[in-house]
Amino acid sequence: MAIRIIRTEEDPILRKTSRPVTKFDDRLGQILDDMKETMEKANGVGLAAVQVGLLRRIVVVDVGDGSGVLELINPEIVEADGEQEGQEGCLSLPDKWAIVKRPEHVRVRAQTRTGAWRMFEGEGLKARAFCHELDHLDGHLFIDRMEKMLTEEEVRRLQNERVNGKETDA
Ligand code: NI
C-alpha cells in the first residue's frame, strides 16, 4: 500500500467528471488500498479517487461508526430524504469549513471491488459523507453548495468540540 498525494483546490482536476470503472482487477484493488491508507493518514471520513488524481468513479468512506472502510465503485444515489444542516470540510480544501445542507438519509447503489452491486444506507454523518464524495465524482466541491463559510474563530471552536479526534473532512 502507498500514501498518495491529495490534490488541493487550485488543481483543475477536482473540477473534472470521473469516468466509470469497467475493470475489476488487481489494479483497482491497489487503488482502493492506497485510497484507504491515504484517507486514514489524513484522518478523513471519505476520499474520492479524483482527490488523488485518478478520474475514476471510486469512493472510500469511514465515518468511524464501526462498519469499517466502505468501498463504493460507480456509486449512485437512488433515494434521498430529509434534510440536515451541518459543518463540512474537505481534505482537498484543508483550511475551509462551511455549513452545508444535505439529505438526512440516502440509499446508494454501488459496486464492490469484485464488481457485485450492493446497496449502502447512510444517515446523518454517513449520508453527508456519501453526498460529499459522490459530488467529487462530478467535479463539485462543498463550497459550491454551502449556506455560509465558517470564520477562523468558528472553525477553532468546532475543533475544540470535536469528539474522538475524528475529523469530518472528506
Ligand atoms: Ni472532499
Side-chain angles (χ1 to χ4, degrees):
M1 295 212 289
I3 302 283
R4 302 211 181 196
I5 294 166
I6 297 178
R7 305 298 181 91
T8 48
E9 191 176 359
E10 65 283 358
D11 193 324
I13 198 170
L14 291 173
R15 292 304 188 172
K16 296 192 171 161
T17 301
S18 295
R19 294 183 291 273
V21 171
T22 53
K23 283 188 199 155
F24 295 82
D25 55 8
D26 289 348
R27 182 173 137 72
L28 173 64
Q30 183 68 57
I31 292 168
L32 283 161
D33 292 344
D34 288 357
M35 284 175 64
K36 176 182 163 180
E37 196 177 352
T38 304
M39 173 179 70
E40 284 172 351
K41 179 83 186 305
N43 217 10
V45 300
L47 188 73
V50 60
Q51 292 181 273
V52 292
L54 299 167
L55 284 170
R56 288 288 179 268
R57 302 188 82 81
I58 307 170
V59 156
V60 291
V61 168
D62 182 359
V63 295
D65 64 349
S67 47
V69 179
L70 305 176
E71 301 174 349
L72 291 80
I73 297 152
N74 299 329
E76 35 187 284
I77 293 174
V78 292
E79 206 179 296
D81 44 79
E83 189 179 82
Q84 58 172 317
E85 195 177 80
Q87 76 268 11
E88 204 166 305
C90 179
L91 294 175
S92 293
L93 285 70
D95 302 322
K96 289 187 179 168
W97 288 78
I99 298 295
V100 187
K101 272 186 192 163
R102 299 286 190 183
E104 174 58 26
H105 169 254
V106 293
R107 276 162 64 81
V108 180
R109 182 174 176 265
Q111 282 171 286
T112 68
R113 65 165 72 196
T114 61
W117 287 96
R118 60 162 285 195
M119 295 295 295
F120 293 85
E121 189 134 21
E123 267 187 28
L125 178 59
K126 193 184 270 185
R128 178 176 294 283
F130 284 157
C131 293
H132 178 114
E133 298 314 325
L134 268 64
D135 267 356
H136 273 301
L137 303 182
D138 293 315
H140 301 305
L141 299 174
F142 76 99
I143 49 172
D144 308 341
R145 306 200 183 286
M146 67 181 179
E147 301 293 311
K148 89 177 181 75
M149 190 73 90
L150 296 176
T151 64
E152 267 180 55
E153 196 191 327
E154 287 170 319
V155 171
R156 257 198 309 277
R157 198 161 57 227
L158 285 167
Q159 278 166 345
N160 291 336
E161 286 168 5
R162 201 169 295 153
V163 275
N164 303 330
K166 193 79 187 171
E167 303 276 342
T168 48
D169 293 9

